[in-house]
Amino acid sequence: HTRSWQPYRDNNRQPPKIDVLIGILSMMNQVGRDRRLAQRRTWISAHWRALGATSWRYFYVCGRANSTNSTRVPLDTVEAGIVTLSRADDSYAFLFVRVLEMLRWALDQVPFRVLVKADDDSFVHVQNAVALVNKMSNKSHVESLYAGRTVRRAFVLRPNVTLARMPSRVAKYYASIPRAKWLAWRVSYEALPESKCVESKGFFYHQPYNLGLGYMLGNAAARAILRRHDARSASLKRLS
C-alpha cells in the first residue's frame, strides 16, 4: 500500500518527517491476518489517501514466535508493511513488551512528529489526527502530546489478585471478563510500587492513563516513556 512505511532509500538526504505515524499492534495468526485485511479494505484505503505524502504513514507490529525461549535474537524485520520485532513474543501476555519495542523501533527508524498507537481492531480517522497535529502551533505541545480516552480510576491488579479482594463494583466488572484475559493485566509491586498509585479506602488505583485501543504520543513523550522504562528495568536488574 502506498501509505505503508518502507525504508527510505536516498542515503544522501535526511528522510522526510512524518506528521502522523500510525503503529498498529497485530499478531501473525489467522485472526491477525483477517483483521489486517479488513483494515486495509476500509479506513486505510479511505479518501484521506489524498493527504500529502508526509502527512501520514502506517505500519503493523507483530512479535516473533517463541522469542522468549530463544537464545539467539535476530534483527527486527520489515516486510509488506509489517514490522516483526525480535525482542517481543507474538502473544497477548507480552503485549506491553510489543508496545515498548514498537516505540523503540519507530524512534530509531522513522522521523515522526506524533505516533498513533492503535490495535488491529481499531478505526483511525486519519484526517482528524493529521488536522489535530497541524492545528497545534506550539511545537513543544506537539512534542509532549499524550492524548486519548482517559481512564481516571483503574484498579491495580496484583499477581495474587482475586475477585474477593476487589471493591464490589470492580469485582462485578472483572467477573464479566474472561479470567485469562484480565490476569494478563496484573502488575508486580516491583514494577509499580504502591507509592506510585492512587489510594482510596484501602484500595490502590492507577494514575490516569489513556486506553490502549488508541492514543497519540508526541516524539518527545515517546522518548520519555522509553527512557523511563529502560531506567526502571536497569534498576530492577541491579537489585535482582
Side-chain angles (χ1 to χ4, degrees), residues 43-65:
W43 65 265
I44 287 177
S45 298
H47 62 277
W48 43 65
R49 290 174 61 183
L51 291 170
T54 61
S55 294
W56 71 285
R57 287 287 189 275
Y58 78 92
F59 66 99
Y60 284 101
V61 177
C62 295
R64 187 167 58 87

Side-chain angles (χ1 to χ4, degrees), residues 64 73 150:
R64 187 167 58 87
V73 180
T150 305

Side-chain angles (χ1 to χ4, degrees), residues 6-7 23 32 34 55 75 78 83 85 99 126 134 139 156 160 163 166 204 213 217 221:
Q6 296 297 332
D34 291 343
S55 294
L75 298 175
V78 182
V83 178
L85 300 169
V99 173
V126 178
N134 290 332
K139 182 180 178 181
V156 177
N160 59 346
L163 293 176
M166 301 179 186
F204 291 88
L213 60 88
L217 280 175

